Amino acid sequence: MAATDKALAGLRQMIASGELGPGAKFPPEPELCDHLGVSRSSLREAVRSLGALGVIESRHGSGTYVTALDPAAIIGRFSLSVELIPLEGVLELLEVRRVLEAHATAAAAARQDPELEAQLSSVLDRLESTTDATEIQHLDAEFHGLICAAGGNPTVTALTGVIRGRGGHYRIFEPGADFDAIKQTSDRGHRAILAAITTRDPAAAATAASAHIAQTELWLRALRPVPQPALP
Amino acid sequence: MAATDKALAGLRQMIASGELGPGAKFPPEPELCDHLGVSRSSLREAVRSLGALGVIESRHGSGTYVTALDPAAIIGRFSLSVELIPLEGVLELLEVRRVLEAHATAAAAARQDPELEAQLSSVLDRLESTTDATEIQHLDAEFHGLICAAGGNPTVTALTGVIRGRGGHYRIFEPGADFDAIKQTSDRGHRAILAAITTRDPAAAATAASAHIAQTELWLRALRPVPQPALP
DNA sequence: TGACCAGAAGTGGTCTGAGGACTTACTCTT
DNA sequence: AAGAGTAAGTCCTCAGACCACTTCTGGTCA
């Protein structure tokens, strides 16, 4: 077994066995090297691997710790890889988002939360009054993010957020021939979702959300823009 | 900006910009070090990070390559972190699986594929005739995996597979007082799913799959076994 | 007594250099 | 033309040194 793999397995085992729970601190690097039987370089590469996956966190000068192992945070790490997925794969991911977000939107509609409805209405007012692509993207993310959060499952919120972020790199809302038509269709979709939530109709909310995202899928399929995602 | 972060950003940028597409080969390590302005240690830690995320693959003696950037493969990498998530988080993830698998099962039912139905029936015959916990787990995974694959979205298949794998670490089917009752309920759930698929009823299939997984969630909530996942 | 500051110890971050292990391509032999 | 052997290219691992940051400790001063 390769040295780095040995270190990786050892670190994972320390967590899986319950020896180190969420938030626990690992021994110092030299001690871990002895314990795992690898050099410091190999150990550090293993630590980086688990760090990229959101399982371990190194704090300079302080130590190395197990993260909270919160599923939403771990899924958030996916954005590093999802942002590099080509368009073909993004379409597969959008189906996941469509299904999950329909579910979350239905749950949000069942909650009967006037404050949420006021927030959403405010976001839509701002969204409908702008034509700036970046602002559209941010407000769209806020709208859907608020709804997903109201759905009550942070994991769903994180997962849909990652996928939405990837889709946003393909700029549908570039000023162009179809801009007005696309924008109007999008705005109507958002209003339909809000209406279903306001009338506390989960089934209608799921349908509206599903249709709205399906529309996005159609635009992406049709546009097939140059797959050149912008990094943050 | 820290050295490793600089290397990480540089590597990602090379992929995101389109300079290196899926399957492309990176320059040798010394050359990359020059280009990115970091030492070999830092570069290698960055490569490991992207390797853990399924974006980059290093082949000993050959070179470092961009992976196929296939979303299913990238999601599969999640199992390394998901397998360490505590029970509380697993319940959130199971809701994701329930929603996605209901969707995939409905799609499978709409496909009208006699060969699939024969395969599923065979798996259930074997599943119903065993009481071995490990075999139950494998056959259960095969049953649900076949259905998800028939659903047509590999990303959904990968995602549900990762979550199912995590849930499997909690051994519901340990021989005990409730074993027979649990096993019978589980078997009935599987038959209900297969019946809906055989009668080509997507709505019934979605409902049956959703109910079956919801039952698993209930068992996990009730049992709250010692969270000691087994590593492969 | 309390707050603040300086130093010391602990810990991760980075760099350099060396040798080993594996893959690949080439060349020579049969 | 096929095979074995060789050489070049590349990643893997280790070791040691030094730097940067955090944390704790002890003392000082108001």
Side-chain angles (χ1 to χ4, degrees):
Chain A
M1 192 181 213
T4 302
D5 291 339
K6 187 163 66 171
L8 198 59
L11 293 173
R12 290 190 73 223
Q13 186 57 42
M14 290 173 76
I15 302 174
S17 69
E19 180 184 343
L20 293 176
K25 181 177 180 176
F26 281 92
E29 288 182 348
E31 198 171 322
L32 273 178
C33 292
D34 275 359
H35 177 48
L36 299 172
V38 299
S39 73
R40 211 179 143 213
S41 316
S42 300
L43 171 69
R44 285 186 55 78
E45 290 186 15
V47 168
R48 283 283 181 188
S49 289
L50 290 176
L53 292 168
V55 170
I56 279 182
E57 185 186 7
S58 279
R59 297 179 207 153
H60 191 180
S62 174
T64 303
Y65 303 81
V66 181
T67 66
L69 294 179
D70 171 51
I74 285 178
I75 285 176
R77 287 324 209 85
F78 260 112
S79 61
L80 289 174
S81 47
V82 167
E83 282 170 6
L84 297 173
I85 291 179
L87 176 56
E88 293 302 323
V90 172
L91 292 172
E92 278 183 24
L93 282 167
L94 267 176
E95 182 175 340
V96 172
R97 184 192 155 200
R98 169 160 45 88
V99 173
L100 287 178
E101 199 155 325
H103 175 75
T105 306
R111 278 197 45 179
Q112 313 199 355
D113 181 346
E115 189 178 340
L116 169 69
E117 294 157 19
Q119 280 181 298
L120 292 175
S121 182
S122 160
V123 171
L124 287 194
D125 287 344
R126 281 178 282 156
L127 180 53
E128 286 164 355
S129 64
T130 183
T131 58
D132 178 69
T134 303
E135 198 173 356
I136 290 175
Q137 191 175 319
H138 286 163
L139 290 170
D140 182 83
E142 188 176 353
F143 179 77
H144 291 284
L146 279 170
I147 293 175
C148 288
N153 187 320
T155 300
V156 171
T157 305
L159 197 46
T160 54
V162 167
I163 300 174
R164 190 181 317 116
R166 178 64 188 93
H169 291 151
Y170 296 105
R171 302 193 166 275
I172 295 176
F173 292 103
E174 285 299 324
D178 297 337
F179 178 87
D180 286 341
I182 289 179
K183 182 66 160 54
Q184 282 178 20
T185 302
S186 174
D187 286 344
R188 272 200 299 270
H190 287 142
R191 283 293 172 192
I193 293 172
L194 178 54
I197 292 176
T198 306
T199 56
R200 282 80 193 260
D201 187 337
T207 302
S210 192
H212 176 66
I213 297 170
Q215 180 63 66
T216 301
E217 293 176 55
L218 284 178
W219 283 327
L220 279 184
R221 271 183 214 280
L223 285 180
R224 301 264 172 151
V226 182
Q228 188 158 337
L231 288 184
Chain B
M1 192 182 214
T4 302
D5 290 340
K6 188 163 64 171
L8 198 60
L11 292 173
R12 290 189 71 223
Q13 186 57 42
M14 291 172 77
I15 302 174
S17 69
E19 181 183 343
L20 293 177
K25 182 177 179 177
F26 280 94
E29 287 180 348
E31 199 171 321
L32 272 178
C33 291
D34 275 359
H35 178 49
L36 299 172
V38 300
S39 73
R40 253 193 84 210
S41 320
S42 301
L43 171 68
R44 285 186 55 77
E45 291 186 16
V47 168
R48 284 283 181 188
S49 289
L50 290 176
L53 292 168
V55 171
I56 278 182
E57 184 186 7
S58 279
R59 298 178 207 155
H60 190 178
S62 173
T64 304
Y65 303 82
V66 182
T67 66
L69 294 179
D70 170 52
I74 286 179
I75 285 176
R77 287 323 207 85
F78 260 116
S79 61
L80 288 173
S81 47
V82 167
E83 282 170 7
L84 297 173
I85 293 179
L87 177 57
E88 293 302 323
V90 172
L91 292 172
E92 278 183 24
L93 282 167
L94 267 176
E95 183 175 340
V96 173
R97 183 190 156 203
R98 167 159 47 87
V99 173
L100 287 178
E101 200 155 324
H103 175 74
T105 305
R111 278 197 45 180
Q112 313 198 356
D113 180 346
E115 188 177 341
L116 170 69
E117 294 157 18
Q119 279 182 297
L120 293 176
S121 184
S122 160
V123 172
L124 286 194
D125 287 343
R126 279 178 281 156
L127 180 52
E128 286 164 355
S129 65
T130 183
T131 57
D132 178 70
T134 303
E135 199 175 354
I136 289 176
Q137 191 175 318
H138 287 163
L139 290 170
D140 183 83
E142 189 178 352
F143 179 77
H144 290 285
L146 278 170
I147 293 175
C148 288
N153 187 321
T155 300
V156 170
T157 306
L159 198 46
T160 54
V162 167
I163 300 173
R164 189 181 320 116
R166 178 65 188 94
H169 291 151
Y170 296 106
R171 303 193 164 275
I172 296 177
F173 292 103
E174 285 299 325
D178 297 337
F179 178 87
D180 287 341
I182 290 179
K183 181 66 163 52
Q184 283 178 22
T185 302
S186 174
D187 286 343
R188 271 200 299 272
H190 288 142
R191 283 291 172 192
I193 293 172
L194 177 55
I197 292 176
T198 305
T199 56
R200 283 79 192 262
D201 187 338
T207 303
S210 193
H212 175 66
I213 297 170
Q215 181 63 65
T216 300
E217 294 176 55
L218 284 178
W219 282 328
L220 279 184
R221 271 182 215 280
L223 285 181
R224 302 264 171 150
V226 182
Q228 189 157 336
L231 288 186

